[in-house]
Amino acid sequence: MRLLSSALITLLALTKLSFASSSSVLVVLDPSLDREDYSIFFGGLEERGYNLTFRAPKDASPAITDYGVPNYDHVILFAPDTKSYAQDITPQSLVGLLSENTNLLIALSPKQTLLTSLAAEFSLILPPPETPLISHHPARSEPPTTIPVSVSSSPILTSGIPPIWFTGASHALGSTPMLVPILRAPAESFAADPTSDADSDALVTASEKGGEGLWAGSQMGLVTGFQTNVNSRVVFAGGVKMFSDEYARKELPSGGPSGNALFVTDVAAWVFQEKMKLRIDAVDHHRVGESGAPEMYTTNDEIVYTAHISAYDSQTSTWKPYSGIDDLQLEFTMLDPHIRTSLPPVPGSPGTYQVQFRAPDRHGVFKFVLNWKRKGYSYLESSTTVPVVPPRHDQYPRFLSAAWPYYTGAISTSVGFFLFSALWLAGDVKGERKKGSKAE
């Protein structure tokens, strides 16, 4: 029975690998939301090659996973107000999807839901329920909860995106370095009950508390990403309406078009790993003057280390050499780094990074370690273990230049002893001959 179950799971996994591509997306859409109201966003995904499958939060099929194997490479959760889900959608199962390299795009709301507790697992701190983001600036005809937000420059986003319309909840960012801020709240905005936000005493009281008591200003996030140790990604958006056709076509108070369509396209491209996705193709090391990696190095050897890095090009769906990293470092460690040096790109050789250094004068088991982690980019990690041994008995130099004073002392002492002995012996023999002649 166990053998049959194992064979079934293996067959299912192979089936998923053969039919599911990196463009399969499951969209969990709340029944209160009309798919046609988000046609620009969903249509853009389909034009870029994504296969979208829709289901309601409480539907049991299509399942997100079967026997622990994800059925989709990406999941979109547009059910911000839903409080109950099917059995396959829980905070634990969603975290498990990330460990299986499935990416998540999640829309939140001011209401307390299952997704609110999930956001706390990723070091996002949400304000009290029913306290959306509010701003009375700039002057506009829209309600204070419908806010135009300026887009800051970011490598994730296309430069020059106009302000976007936002309605929803803000959140404070924790201290984990894995968070990737994408959109910040305006400086004049704050989170409060929209029916009583005119009461300035409430905001003053909150500011006096400090910490979590103050939900105001640009320290709050509206759209925030998170990248796991296995390079899967999740994005939490404070509201689902920013993805709607209404906000994509809505004019700004200044009269220009909003940047919602371009903004959500860039956010989806990042979370679905179309951009800023890097990998290490190969690493190699050898002694200077050689080409192959030796079984072991000797102390004070001159070592050449090379890494080949590429970036994913979503336009051609291929990996291309990437030389855009200017702060890559290499560590040669044995418990602690004995050598830490920069690993610069090689001019004229795209995607190649190379450095030459001397092995430390200490033997043991060392590691070549690459550990490059920057916000928004895929993490680059590599570790190669090599032994470093002392020289063999016939590898030491016959004479050491630093020991010449000792060599000179030893030689001069030997020569002096020889001359003294010779003179002493010769002098005694000569004296005996003279005494003998006198006696006669």
Side-chain angles (χ1 to χ4, degrees):
M1 187 64 181
R2 290 184 178 179
L3 182 61
L4 180 61
S5 300
S6 300
L8 180 61
I9 293 174
T10 303
L11 180 61
L12 180 63
L14 292 176
T15 303
K16 299 305 177 184
L17 289 176
S18 60
F19 289 98
S21 66
S22 60
S23 60
S24 57
V25 181
L26 176 65
V27 181
V28 181
L29 190 66
D30 191 279
S32 62
L33 301 178
D34 189 352
R35 185 192 309 182
E36 297 302 322
D37 293 339
Y38 301 85
S39 60
I40 295 177
F41 176 65
F42 292 140
L45 293 178
E46 291 175 337
E47 290 176 0
R48 301 207 305 273
Y50 291 98
N51 300 319
L52 304 184
T53 303
F54 292 85
R55 62 167 273 193
K58 297 181 181 181
D59 290 348
S61 63
I64 296 181
T65 61
D66 284 328
Y67 299 99
V69 179
N71 294 330
Y72 301 91
D73 294 281
H74 317 289
V75 176
I76 298 176
L77 287 171
F78 279 1
D81 296 333
T82 302
K83 294 188 176 182
S84 60
Y85 291 81
Q87 293 182 355
D88 62 339
I89 302 180
T90 64
Q92 294 78 10
S93 65
L94 295 177
V95 172
L97 288 175
L98 291 173
S99 63
E100 297 293 335
N101 289 311
T102 298
N103 306 297
L104 305 177
L105 175 57
I106 301 173
L108 303 174
S109 77
K111 296 183 178 180
Q112 182 74 27
T113 65
L114 178 145
L115 300 179
T116 304
S117 59
L118 175 65
E121 299 294 331
F122 294 87
S123 194
L124 298 182
I125 309 168
L126 276 73
E130 305 297 339
T131 54
L133 188 70
I134 293 175
S135 177
H136 297 280
H137 302 280
R140 59 192 184 278
S141 59
E142 289 77 9
T145 54
T146 302
I147 308 169
V149 181
S150 298
V151 180
S152 302
S153 61
S154 169
I156 296 176
L157 305 174
T158 303
S159 60
I161 296 181
I164 69 169
W165 290 102
F166 177 85
T167 298
S170 59
H171 50 260
L173 276 60
S175 58
T176 175
M178 296 181 176
L179 289 175
V180 183
I182 300 176
L183 182 66
R184 296 276 190 173
E188 67 277 359
S189 63
F190 58 94
D193 185 350
T195 61
S196 60
D197 67 283
D199 186 4
S200 60
D201 294 339
L203 187 59
V204 173
T205 303
S207 63
E208 292 176 351
K209 293 180 180 179
E212 296 184 13
L214 178 61
W215 301 95
S218 57
Q219 77 272 14
M220 295 188 300
L222 303 181
V223 180
T224 302
F226 187 100
Q227 185 162 266
T228 67
N229 285 326
V230 295
N231 283 329
S232 57
R233 295 170 178 175
V234 56
V235 165
F236 291 92
V240 70
K241 290 198 69 176
M242 66 164 50
F243 298 89
S244 66
D245 297 352
E246 176 189 355
Y247 280 10
R249 300 189 178 103
K250 188 179 180 62
E251 288 189 354
L252 297 171
S254 60
S258 70
N260 284 70
L262 183 55
F263 177 82
V264 297
T265 299
D266 288 344
V267 170
W270 180 82
V271 70
F272 293 163
Q273 303 206 24
E274 291 183 34
K275 56 172 58 177
M276 302 176 72
K277 183 178 181 181
L278 308 177
R279 74 177 185 186
I280 299 177
D281 295 323
V283 297
D284 56 79
H285 54 88
H286 56 83
R287 295 188 181 94
V288 173
E290 300 179 1
S291 58
E295 294 184 359
M296 59 185 67
Y297 288 98
T298 305
T299 56
N300 296 316
D301 272 351
E302 290 290 335
I303 303 174
V304 177
Y305 182 89
T306 307
H308 303 275
I309 298 175
S310 60
Y312 182 72
D313 184 2
S314 60
Q315 301 296 327
T316 60
S317 298
T318 58
W319 292 87
K320 296 184 178 180
Y322 182 75
S323 298
I325 304 176
D326 56 3
D327 57 352
L328 189 62
Q329 289 186 336
L330 170 68
E331 292 183 348
F332 198 54
T333 68
M334 185 174 65
L335 298 180
D336 295 322
H338 285 247
I339 293 176
R340 181 183 288 118
T341 181
S342 61
L343 188 60
V346 178
S349 181
T352 302
Y353 298 77
Q354 189 176 85
V355 67
Q356 176 180 333
F357 65 94
R358 176 177 293 181
D361 191 11
R362 183 175 181 181
H363 60 274
V365 179
F366 283 79
K367 288 183 179 180
F368 296 102
V369 176
L370 282 181
N371 189 4
W372 187 82
K373 295 182 178 180
R374 299 296 182 271
K375 287 185 181 296
Y377 290 91
S378 301
Y379 301 148
L380 300 178
E381 296 178 288
S382 175
S383 178
T384 306
T385 303
V386 293
V388 177
V389 299
R392 292 167 51 90
H393 65 90
D394 56 352
Q395 290 180 321
Y396 286 98
R398 182 64 64 182
F399 295 101
L400 302 176
S401 59
W404 274 112
Y406 303 99
Y407 298 154
T408 305
I411 294 173
S412 61
T413 301
S414 300
V415 172
F417 177 77
F418 177 77
L419 293 176
F420 176 79
S421 299
L423 292 174
W424 175 265
L425 294 175
D428 287 346
V429 172
K430 187 175 181 181
E432 288 179 358
R433 288 180 178 176
K434 291 181 178 180
K435 291 179 181 179
S437 61
K438 290 181 179 179
E440 292 179 357

